[in-house]
Amino acid sequence: MNTDKHSQNLKKEDYLSHIAFDSVIFGFNGKDLKILVLQYHNTGLFALPGGFVRRNESLDEAVAKGVVERTGIDNIYLEQFQTFGGLDRFDSKAMERILEMNGLDPKANEWLLDRFISIAYYALINFEEVNPVPDALADSIDWYSFDELPPLMMDHLEIVQKALETLRSNLDRKLLGMNLLPEKFTMRELQSVYEKIMGEPFKRTAFHRKMLATNALIRHEKRFTGGAHRAPYLYSFKNSFIENQ
């Protein structure tokens, strides 16, 4: 849990009590899978982007707004995957330090030092299209590879691990790669999305057969970049399939 860009003006009565959200924003450019992480000002503390839910907005609206503020991109695929309420979510000393290092009085913002239950979402975007913006209490926000994440505060590493597990388990059902591919793509490009997200290689023939068996793809003309015999076919997702996701 972290505060949003209007943190200095947060008033307890404007927000739902003890409810926060955290967003695991996956970035994929066709080659590398990364996660968006921010660092709090003068603390050395790293966290996932997140925030609170206003009384006059829905949870989904709050999360979508938070993602737009951090990435500048709207209309992003977002999925709620788990609620986190363990005792390791409660770290009043860390939050007190964050407030103090930003010149804010912890006593005046005492409600932020209390225990919060966090509802977690994940998003999947192309990180090359994003210029990340930190929130008001953060020095920086940047993309990190999963195996090179900085030490995350509280239970945020657990949240990331669960988000990756959920992303992988949903990949066949939702074909999330469609958010990262051009309108028309090669089977090799689609396979690359699967391999990077799943963290393992696939045999080309078996993968092609599996994808075609989903009945979700339309085959188009070949992509001619060299000899005609080497040109791969282009594919796109059927509209009926996209509408059902």
Side-chain angles (χ1 to χ4, degrees), residues 19-66:
I19 298 294
F21 65 84
D22 286 295
S23 302
V24 182
I25 303 175
F26 291 105
F28 183 69
N29 69 344
K31 298 180 181 179
D32 300 306
L33 182 66
K34 298 186 177 184
I35 297 168
L36 195 60
V37 175
L38 59 81
Q39 182 177 10
Y40 285 119
H41 180 63
N42 287 338
T43 65
L45 296 173
F46 294 86
L48 295 170
F52 307 107
V53 183
R54 289 182 177 274
R55 294 185 180 276
N56 63 352
E57 67 183 350
S58 71
L59 172 61
D60 286 348
E61 289 172 340
V63 175
K65 181 178 67 176

Side-chain angles (χ1 to χ4, degrees), residues 21 31 35 68 130 132 163 170-171 189 192 206 223 229:
F21 65 84
K31 298 180 181 179
I35 297 168
V68 170
V130 177
N170 284 346
L171 200 55
E189 290 170 334
S192 178
R223 176 185 288 174
H229 65 288

Side-chain angles (χ1 to χ4, degrees), residues 64-78:
K65 181 178 67 176
V67 172
V68 170
E69 289 175 347
R70 300 287 76 78
T71 67
I73 298 178
D74 56 10
N75 196 29
I76 293 175
Y77 176 87
L78 283 165

Side-chain angles (χ1 to χ4, degrees), residues 114-165:
D114 210 339
R115 181 182 171 190
F116 282 82
I117 291 174
S118 181
I119 303 168
Y121 285 69
Y122 69 82
L124 190 60
I125 60 180
N126 186 335
F127 64 75
E128 291 185 346
E129 298 176 354
V130 177
N131 183 21
V133 178
D135 67 26
L137 302 185
D139 281 325
S140 64
I141 187 169
D142 208 347
W143 295 102
Y144 294 84
S145 298
F146 181 73
D147 56 357
E148 296 179 347
L149 287 175
L152 300 177
M153 64 184 294
M154 296 192 298
D155 60 351
H156 285 203
L157 179 58
E158 178 187 353
I159 295 175
V160 168
Q161 291 171 333
K162 184 62 179 181
L164 184 59
E165 176 186 326

Side-chain angles (χ1 to χ4, degrees), residues 82-107:
Q82 187 164 310
T83 298
F84 293 82
L87 294 177
D88 52 356
R89 302 219 87 254
F90 182 55
D91 190 351
S92 61
K93 293 296 183 182
M95 193 65 223
E96 184 174 349
R97 184 181 174 195
I98 291 168
L99 293 172
E100 290 176 342
M101 290 299 99
N102 282 275
L104 299 174
D105 182 6
K107 291 185 178 180

